Amino acid sequence: MPHVASALKALALSLLPRGSVVQKKRGDRVYLTFDDGPHPENTPRLLDALKASCAKATFFVQGLCVVRYPAVARRIVEEGHTIAGHSWSHRRLPQWAFRGAWDEFDRTREVIREVAGVETILYRPPFGWITLPMLAYAAAGRMRLILWSVDSDDDRTRSEETILAKGRQVQGGDIFLCHDDNEAILEAVPALLCEWRARGLEPSALSDDESN
């Protein structure tokens, strides 16, 4: 059965409307993204660093963490960043789990709306694991799946230099994957923002509007 699911997934991806699944964009913007928050200590420090650099980012949050740290979630929005879903509980779902896929997305979307006052259909599935139900929902315009083109590897290293080296691979239109819960990313972000701007790249937030 796995080979059947893979074949169907490849077919579905080829038929999806433009922008339903996004891995990289165009232009001279770069998209700094953070998964797994909000974190009670690290996310505020990241927000401080972004504010000091007048830069914007996208935070893909877990529903349970939003419930635990609502003030941090609200601050993300208040300071002009994009907040989006990263599941309720960070589970890797079975390929055919229609109900589970929708529940993980919708519960997170609802708590973001209740706590932060914004609506979003942007969604990054845990581990980048896209299932057939997610593709069906994306095709119907009910969610917009966001992956990444460059991985900071900050979930596998605590080395600031390693993260900086990955960040230096970023080109215009790249979506850069990071996580809230790594001390090294806190040190690397200010340097990367400066380096990107020196190369003519503007750190920006993703948007529900497909054109942005």
Side-chain angles (χ1 to χ4, degrees):
M1 194 70 99
H3 62 285
V4 174
S6 296
L8 287 173
K9 205 151 63 164
L11 176 62
L13 281 167
S14 71
L15 298 174
L16 282 175
R18 180 176 175 269
S20 299
V21 180
V22 180
Q23 186 170 16
K24 182 180 170 73
K25 296 175 70 67
R26 299 177 181 176
D28 57 4
R29 297 182 181 186
V30 294
Y31 299 90
L32 183 59
T33 66
F34 297 96
D35 286 8
D36 295 350
H39 187 280
E41 298 173 1
N42 287 4
T43 306
R45 291 169 64 190
L46 285 168
L47 290 169
D48 290 342
L50 292 165
K51 187 174 184 178
S53 298
C54 297
K56 301 303 179 189
T58 303
F59 291 80
F60 289 95
V61 297
Q62 293 181 45
L64 283 171
C65 294
V66 173
V67 171
R68 289 171 183 151
Y69 311 112
V72 183
R74 282 191 290 270
R75 183 181 167 190
I76 290 170
V77 174
E78 288 166 358
E79 297 191 0
H81 305 286
T82 296
I83 191 169
H86 188 50
S87 82
W88 183 261
S89 58
H90 211 270
R91 291 187 295 141
R92 184 183 175 105
L93 293 170
Q95 188 60 252
W96 303 93
F98 275 83
R99 187 173 200 175
W102 183 253
D103 285 349
E104 288 282 320
F105 165 76
D106 196 47
R107 289 181 72 191
T108 305
R109 181 181 63 169
E110 282 298 309
V111 78
I112 289 172
R113 182 184 60 77
E114 292 169 6
V115 168
V118 296
E119 296 279 359
T120 182
I121 62 168
L122 299 184
Y123 187 65
R124 176 173 284 164
F127 318 106
W129 174 245
I130 295 177
T131 65
L132 284 164
M134 292 177 197
L135 292 176
Y137 297 134
R142 301 178 75 183
M143 67 172 66
R144 188 166 169 228
L145 299 167
I146 309 294
L147 300 178
W148 58 89
S149 51
V150 180
D151 188 342
S152 70
D153 285 339
D154 65 347
D155 57 343
R156 291 181 287 277
T157 181
R158 291 296 184 262
S159 165
E160 179 186 350
E161 285 305 315
T162 298
I163 294 169
L164 287 171
K166 297 291 288 189
R168 289 171 184 141
Q169 297 174 15
V170 167
Q171 304 295 323
D174 275 327
I175 299 173
F176 191 53
L177 170 66
C178 307
H179 297 79
D180 291 41
D181 57 354
N182 186 325
E183 289 288 326
I185 200 69
L186 293 167
E187 304 300 325
V189 161
L192 285 176
L193 293 173
C194 289
E195 290 187 21
W196 288 340
R197 283 186 167 141
R199 293 167 51 202
L201 302 173
E202 182 58 30
S204 303
L206 294 161
S207 168
D208 277 281
D209 180 356
E210 193 277 327
S211 64
N212 292 327

